[in-house]
């Protein structure tokens, strides 16, 4: 008698199979329709970001040529920067949804060229997500990372821009073929997709509209009442103006001010008491504080023209730049330099009053700088020293 092993069922070897995507609109036509809006948004972000960067940190040869006009210049460019950045979050999500099935393409790479192309898309997606995320958290003043925001956001902007240009170059034939309905006609996409695609694009437009309308009020007063999603409301803060860095955060206190004096260094240095400065204060300017985080508020400022202070110290307005130092103990904006165009401008003030009232401590008491067409970070508060350079 022979013993037979019972037959065991053969273990099934799982076969790797890429997922199948049956959903419509994951095609080049959708990617092109969404991609061109995303491209516009990133282009606006990049250009306005460069403006912001060079206004804040001009190379030496440029510092004295930065224009003080139009007074609302930085308000416009930075308002656009933040608004298009927020809109781009919606656009990027739709674009990623349109193309994500390609993540599962099988086989994952077919050639060296294909591998390089996929790598460049990975860089593009990572850099774009990084820019939008860090920008979003920056407007909320939340920095859950170990690096400093400004240089890294600036550097990665070049990576995004470079990889977008590369992406457009690589995809040019596809983009051209899918640019319009007529060019797509030859490719015979299913006719019924057209209506769905229109719905998708309409939905995307509506989402961008909602995000824009509920945030733009932080810089655009007619939309103030709808300002629900922006971190700042233009009216909320002491003296009806938001405060970014409070006196407490800057280590400035009323007692610590002691016998405050304004020091002006130059060929003929002098110091002024607050009363002496008040006696000189004749100038007025209606100027916006336009924060890099996208909020802007206009106010009436009263004080002394910086060019008058410079002249009195033997400086030459229009020829000399100025260094401004705050009482602030530490911080990136304690010391600020101002090119000749700003120094010379009659609207550039050492301000003592805000909307007719003396500055509160949080707004820079006893004296702060207010200048036209400059980022808010350079509108130095708690000023105690001017130096003609
Ligand atoms: N000394 C000093 N001044 C400063 C800052 C700072 O951190 N230190 N922050 C600036 C920023 S980022 C802005 S937007 C404006 C805000 O001015 P406000 O608080 O009067 O609204 O002040 C600027 N002046
Ligand atoms: Mo700011």
């Amino acid at each position: 008698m022979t013993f037979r092993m019972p037959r065991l069922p053969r273990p099934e070897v799982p076969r790797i199979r890429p997922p199948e995507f049956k959903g419509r609109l994951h095609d080049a036509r959708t990617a092109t329709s969404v991609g061109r809006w995303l491209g516009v948004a990133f282009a606006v972000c990049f250009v306005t970001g460069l403006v912001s960067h060079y206004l804040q940190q001009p190379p030496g040869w440029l510092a004295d040529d930065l224009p003080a006009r139009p007074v609302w210049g930085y308000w416009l460019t930075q308002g656009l920067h933040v608004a298009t950045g927020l809109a781009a979050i919606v656009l990027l999500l739709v674009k990623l949804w349109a193309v994500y099935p390609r993540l599962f393409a099988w086989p994952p790479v077919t050639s060296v060229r294909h591998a390089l192309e996929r790598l460049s898309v990975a860089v593009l997606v990572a850099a774009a997500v990084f820019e939008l995320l860090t920008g979003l958290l920056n407007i909320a003043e939340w920095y859950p990372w170990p690096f400093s925001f400004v240089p890294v956001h600036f550097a990665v902007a070049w990576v995004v821009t470079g990889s977008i240009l590369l992406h457009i170059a690589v995809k040019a034939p596809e983009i051209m073929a899918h640019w319009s309905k007529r060019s797509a006609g030859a490719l015979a996409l299913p006719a019924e997709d057209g209506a769905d695609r229109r719905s998708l694009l309409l939905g995307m437009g509506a989402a961008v509209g909602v995000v824009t309308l509920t945030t733009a009020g932080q810089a655009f007063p007619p939309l103030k009442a709808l300002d629900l999603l922006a971190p700042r409301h233009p009216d909320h803060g002491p003296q009806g103006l938001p405060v970014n860095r409070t006196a407490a955060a800057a280590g400035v206190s009323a007692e610590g001010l002691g016998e405050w004096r304004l020091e002006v260094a130059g060929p003929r240095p002098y110091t002024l008491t607050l009363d002496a400065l008040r006696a000189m204060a004749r100038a007025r300017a209606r100027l916006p504080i336009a924060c890099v985080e996208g909020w802007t508020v206009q106010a009436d400022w009263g004080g002394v023209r910086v060019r008058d202070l410079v002249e009195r110290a033997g400086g030459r307005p229009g020829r000399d730049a100025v260094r401004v130092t705050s009482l602030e103990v530490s911080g990136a904006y304690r010391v600020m330099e101002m090119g000749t165009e700003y120094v010379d401008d009659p609207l550039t003030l050492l301000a003592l009053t805000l909307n007719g009232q003396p500055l509160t401590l949080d707004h820079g008491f006893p004296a702060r700088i207010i200048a036209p067409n400059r980022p808010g970070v350079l509108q130095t508060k708690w000023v105690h020293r001017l130096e003609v350079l």
Side-chain angles (χ1 to χ4, degrees):
M1 210 177 129
T2 48
F3 178 77
R4 283 196 174 199
M5 284 283 283
R7 266 190 187 226
L8 290 171
R10 259 238 209 131
E12 254 193 53
V13 183
R15 267 206 290 149
I16 303 172
R17 236 198 254 153
E20 277 176 45
F21 293 89
K22 300 213 181 68
R24 294 210 295 256
L25 304 185
H26 297 296
D27 52 32
R29 172 90 179 112
T30 311
T32 305
S33 308
V34 179
R36 56 185 168 211
W37 290 109
L38 192 57
V40 171
F42 270 116
V44 173
C45 272
F46 184 64
V47 172
T48 51
L50 286 186
V51 169
S52 185
H53 183 82
Y54 289 112
L55 284 181
Q56 283 177 64
Q57 294 168 35
W61 56 269
L62 188 62
D64 287 329
D65 293 318
L66 294 180
R69 300 301 163 93
V71 295
W72 41 263
Y74 190 72
W75 179 359
L76 178 70
T77 60
Q78 197 61 10
L80 276 177
H81 185 76
V82 172
T84 49
L86 290 172
I89 293 175
V90 175
L91 300 175
L92 184 64
L93 288 174
V94 178
K95 171 90 178 184
L96 291 178
W97 174 83
V99 300
Y100 87 92
R102 295 177 194 207
L103 210 65
F104 303 94
W106 205 261
V109 287
T110 53
S111 64
V112 174
R113 184 179 188 272
H114 187 221
L116 286 175
E117 188 199 318
R118 296 204 77 180
L119 186 68
S120 74
V121 172
V123 171
L124 170 55
V125 172
V129 168
F130 180 90
E131 272 316 75
L132 296 182
L133 195 70
T134 51
L136 179 69
L137 296 190
N138 177 60
I139 68 175
E141 286 194 272
W142 180 29
Y143 304 101
W145 48 66
F147 51 85
S148 71
F149 168 76
V150 175
V152 177
H153 191 73
F154 178 69
V156 177
W158 291 93
V159 179
V160 175
T161 306
S163 40
I164 288 177
L165 292 177
L166 183 65
H167 186 61
I168 293 175
V170 169
K171 297 283 183 188
E174 268 193 85
I175 295 172
M176 258 140 39
H178 293 279
W179 188 258
S180 68
K181 212 181 285 171
R182 206 179 320 140
S183 54
L187 294 154
L189 291 169
E192 67 269 25
D193 282 8
D196 286 358
R197 190 169 297 104
R198 269 193 298 283
S199 306
L200 178 74
L201 294 178
L202 262 169
M204 179 180 84
V208 167
V210 168
V211 168
T212 306
L213 289 175
T214 53
T215 51
Q218 64 175 339
F220 186 55
L223 290 176
K224 206 157 71 166
L226 295 178
D227 179 22
L228 303 170
L229 294 184
R232 299 313 173 90
H233 190 285
D235 295 343
H236 296 174
Q239 296 179 293
L241 206 82
V243 167
N244 248 19
R245 193 159 166 82
T246 60
V252 177
S253 67
E255 305 81 62
L257 285 176
E259 280 293 283
W260 181 87
R261 294 272 189 288
L262 177 71
E263 288 170 28
V264 185
R268 293 195 302 274
Y270 59 91
T271 59
L272 290 173
T273 63
L274 185 53
D275 284 337
L277 204 56
R278 280 184 179 139
M280 285 174 74
R282 298 266 180 280
R284 304 237 156 287
R286 181 158 181 82
L287 288 178
I289 290 231
C291 179
V292 296
E293 287 140 31
W295 59 269
T296 290
V297 184
Q298 290 242 67
D300 288 312
W301 306 92
V304 185
R305 289 198 174 119
V306 167
R307 73 180 205 197
D308 293 346
L309 293 167
V310 165
E311 227 161 21
R312 183 167 164 174
R316 302 152 304 169
R319 312 262 301 274
D320 294 327
V322 163
R323 181 179 297 134
V324 178
T325 309
S326 166
L327 286 172
E328 191 178 351
V329 201
S330 65
Y333 306 113
R334 195 176 76 85
V335 179
M336 174 274 282
E337 285 185 14
M338 190 185 258
T340 54
E341 293 285 315
Y342 298 107
V343 174
D344 193 33
D345 197 289
L347 293 180
T348 300
L349 307 184
L350 185 67
L352 308 177
T353 67
L354 162 53
N355 294 331
Q357 303 295 317
L359 294 170
T360 58
L361 199 56
D362 279 341
H363 283 306
F365 176 84
R368 77 172 302 164
I369 291 293
I370 185 80
N373 193 22
R374 282 203 110 188
V377 288
L378 303 179
Q379 312 283 27
T380 309
K381 305 196 271 195
W382 314 292
V383 170
H384 85 115
R385 183 179 160 83
L386 300 181
E387 203 178 329
V388 178
L389 299 177

